[in-house]
Amino acid sequence: METRNLIAGEWVAGQGDVENVNPSDLSDIIGHYAQATEIQLDDTLAAARVAQAAWAAYLPERKQAILMAIGNEMMDRAEELGTLLSREEGKPLAEGKGEVYRAGQFFTYYAAECLRQIGENADSVRAGVEIDVRREPVGVVAVISPWNFPTATASWKIAPALCYGNAVVWKPANITPASAVALTEIIAKQDIPPGLFSLVMGSGGQIGQRLVESPQIDAISFTGSVPVGKGIAAAAIQNLTKVQMEMGSKNALAVMDDADIDLAVTLALGGAFGGTGQKCTASSRLIVHHAVHDEFVEKLVAGAKAMKVGHALAEGTQMGPVVSDEQLRENLAYVDLGKSEGAELACGGAQLEMPEQGYYMSPGVFLNTTNAMQINREEMFAPLTSVICVGSYDEALATVNDTNFGLTSGIVTRDLARATHFRRNARTGVVTVNLPTAGTDYHVPFGGRGDSSYGPREQGKAAAEFYTTVKTAYISAGTPS
Ligand code: NDP
């Protein structure tokens, strides 16, 4: 059966559909997903405008109860929805379930925030005048989300958008539509005005482009690649639409000469190969002090070789397939590029034959690389990582910062002074000490610098900056004081 889009509060068929295939087993067809038409998009944008005004007038406890119900249902159904997510995206089941549970937490966190929307007040510089500063919804928000965290990324945008009184039109990645439909079904059955929340599945270049060009939207929250992000920003500026974008990265983990090497190896393996390396927070550059280089590399390569690659839903799988044939081809091209640049491929980086036909490759480690190599400059979004050997902490820090990106960075050290210096001088939006570069909390800001991010931060209370607009009211009693 063809799955439908949620348009102006109704589930409607689209113009054709796309087939959703399990990357762990290409014979497993998950379903066919309707592609929204431009007319449907226009209809739902008009309905969103009306619904947003009604939603903004809901009292805070009513909004809070709705977001809480969405979050609780997602957490209760984490096993079932996580299985669906892993089946269509390819991450191991534990990661799929964890993602859905975390997505639920975004809704329960922002449910509570519905009751914490407190403004500021001030005395005016003019006698008898008081000032009230409060936040109001920005309006209709377009959410454009990627496939690598199909539920969590969308949820950390949708939950605050609704919390702060906005309507949402969601264009999910076309390669992971099943998770999008599942989340939409949970939201749609709540006590919300028809049209407050819409699902418009379709290709980014068509329905996505039409959405971001629409003067009917007030804000766009996007996560994806840098070129698409730049195109969206260019479209947004035509209508002066507010934008928030999380894009690529080239995160570094610096392993110092005083590091606990076993800890460093565990962090590097998890950071590089978790989610098959398809994470904006992946540890794709391992910057290692020469004094511990050989020991670190030996253990890292042994760990990478020992990783169990397999079907996302199979017990014991540590790394699933990559998401698509296109992504697999790009990854293998990066392996060739790395070798041609002079990097030594110590292990992995090869397509794997498995009992089921899928997009499998082995986790790859490049050695003897320099930070100038293209494999260390471009986001690969692959289960590939590079070791860069450095002679000192200063060189490590300079190498961490020598990138166009700036999302996350980490240091492994037992030296408090170094850890403190690194925390203050790494030019990234997120910095970790003796922790992976991947894996963040939901109640604090998330975002980066350089080409990694543009616009206000996501998550935690920081999300209010993007999803609201500030109103400053001056009030006089109307009589001379
Ligand atoms: P894209 O940037 O192409 O896609 C991200 C989202 O944007 C998807 O929903 C996509 O839709 C949509 N989109 C694409 N083109 C447009 C457009 N013109 N207007 C509006 N929306 C659009 O990323 P990909 O999924 O193709 O991945 C390519 C690379 O991007 C990865 O290899 C990785 O390097 C990077 N990436 C980074 C992410 C991160 O978190 N840092 C996340 C995802 C990707 P659709 O998928 O339907 O085309």
Side-chain angles (χ1 to χ4, degrees):
M1 197 190 88
E2 188 200 66
T3 320
R4 297 172 172 228
N5 283 298
L6 186 65
I7 303 294
E10 302 288 334
W11 290 99
V12 298
Q15 193 176 47
D17 58 60
V18 290
E19 192 173 72
N20 186 10
V21 181
N22 179 348
S24 298
D25 177 358
L26 305 187
S27 68
D28 176 23
I29 308 301
I30 298 159
H32 293 84
Y33 291 80
Q35 304 290 282
T37 67
E38 293 190 350
I39 292 171
Q40 289 170 347
L41 176 62
D42 293 346
D43 287 349
T44 216
L45 284 168
R49 180 69 55 199
V50 177
Q52 189 272 322
W55 173 246
Y58 275 34
L59 292 175
E61 281 179 329
R62 193 171 169 196
K63 290 201 213 77
Q64 185 250 357
I66 290 166
L67 293 192
M68 193 63 84
I70 297 168
N72 283 336
E73 181 165 346
M74 292 178 76
M75 290 190 282
D76 289 346
R77 293 174 60 194
E79 171 94 30
E80 170 210 344
L81 299 181
T83 304
L84 181 65
L85 193 162
S86 289
R87 191 173 154 214
E88 73 171 346
E89 198 273 349
K91 62 184 67 175
L93 186 52
E95 292 182 35
K97 285 193 283 194
E99 175 174 343
V100 172
Y101 195 87
R102 171 52 57 92
Q105 289 175 309
F106 279 107
F107 281 95
T108 56
Y109 171 82
Y110 283 104
E113 284 301 292
C114 291
L115 294 166
R116 294 198 190 107
Q117 293 180 35
I118 297 164
E120 292 180 329
N121 55 56
D123 286 336
S124 169
V125 295
R126 289 170 278 170
V129 175
E130 290 188 345
I131 300 172
D132 167 276
V133 182
R134 65 178 58 225
R135 291 185 175 274
E136 296 187 349
V138 73
V140 177
V141 178
V143 167
I144 301 191
S145 57
W147 48 263
N148 61 329
F149 282 93
T151 305
T153 304
S155 296
W156 78 57
K157 298 174 187 298
I158 294 165
L162 295 178
C163 163
Y164 296 113
N166 302 286
V168 172
V169 179
W170 181 21
K171 209 302 282 175
N174 228 9
I175 202 169
T176 50
S179 297
V181 170
L183 175 54
T184 302
E185 283 171 350
I186 294 172
I187 297 173
K189 68 185 178 193
Q190 308 299 327
D191 161 31
I192 55 173
L196 180 75
F197 184 83
S198 315
L199 174 69
V200 286
M201 295 181 285
S203 106
Q206 290 166 12
I207 207 77
Q209 186 68 28
R210 171 96 173 187
L211 175 60
V212 298
E213 284 175 357
S214 172
Q216 300 306 319
I217 52 169
D218 302 296
I220 304 165
S221 184
F222 165 80
T223 298
S225 61
V226 176
V228 171
K230 285 185 176 172
I232 288 176
I237 202 68
Q238 297 307 313
N239 299 314
L240 300 177
T241 306
K242 199 172 180 182
V243 284
Q244 171 187 65
M245 300 192 298
E246 298 299 336
M247 299 168 286
S249 57
K250 202 68 202 170
N251 312 298
L253 181 71
V255 180
M256 290 298 93
D257 48 347
D258 58 5
D260 175 331
I261 297 302
D262 290 334
L263 172 66
V265 169
T266 303
L267 299 179
L269 289 170
F273 304 126
T276 320
Q278 302 169 138
K279 282 187 186 182
C280 54
T281 50
S283 310
S284 58
R285 293 183 298 147
L286 305 174
I287 296 169
V288 184
H289 196 288
H290 71 87
V292 293
H293 175 270
D294 292 355
E295 181 189 355
F296 174 82
V297 160
E298 189 187 324
K299 291 181 172 173
L300 177 76
V301 171
K305 282 181 178 166
M307 281 191 90
K308 188 166 182 321
V309 180
H311 192 298
L313 302 182
E315 204 164 323
T317 292
Q318 292 174 302
M319 196 180 95
V322 301
V323 75
S324 65
D325 186 48
E326 187 186 354
Q327 193 72 44
L328 179 61
R329 300 289 135 224
E330 277 179 29
N331 297 355
L332 297 173
Y334 269 117
V335 172
D336 290 341
L337 174 69
K339 288 193 222 161
S340 73
E341 289 185 294
E344 175 197 338
L345 185 67
C347 65
Q351 189 167 359
L352 293 177
E353 295 295 326
M354 304 296 260
E356 298 92 2
Q357 203 193 340
Y359 305 125
Y360 295 100
M361 74 178 279
S362 47
V365 177
F366 283 119
L367 303 179
N368 300 324
T369 77
T370 69
N371 201 45
M373 290 178 178
Q374 224 174 312
I375 54 165
N376 286 330
R377 315 281 332 161
E378 295 174 8
E379 180 174 53
M380 296 191 280
F381 235 53
L384 297 170
T385 192
S386 299
V387 174
I388 303 169
C389 186
V390 292
S392 65
Y393 164 73
D394 288 343
E395 193 187 344
L397 177 64
T399 309
V400 167
N401 287 337
D402 179 13
T403 173
N404 291 337
F405 298 106
L407 187 56
T408 72
S409 61
I411 188 166
V412 194
T413 181
R414 292 186 175 105
D415 182 328
L416 181 61
R418 262 184 192 169
T420 305
H421 187 271
F422 186 83
R423 190 161 55 76
R424 296 180 70 106
N425 290 282
R427 285 199 294 271
T428 51
V430 176
V431 61
T432 66
V433 176
N434 295 320
L435 287 167
T437 60
T440 55
D441 286 0
Y442 52 90
H443 62 305
V444 287
F446 175 73
R449 302 185 187 182
D451 285 358
S452 290
S453 298
Y454 185 75
R457 288 284 186 265
E458 302 200 75
Q459 305 182 17
K461 285 186 189 300
E465 187 58 34
F466 179 71
Y467 292 103
T468 64
T469 180
V470 172
K471 179 177 280 176
T472 310
Y474 295 87
I475 310 112
S476 161
T479 52
S481 59

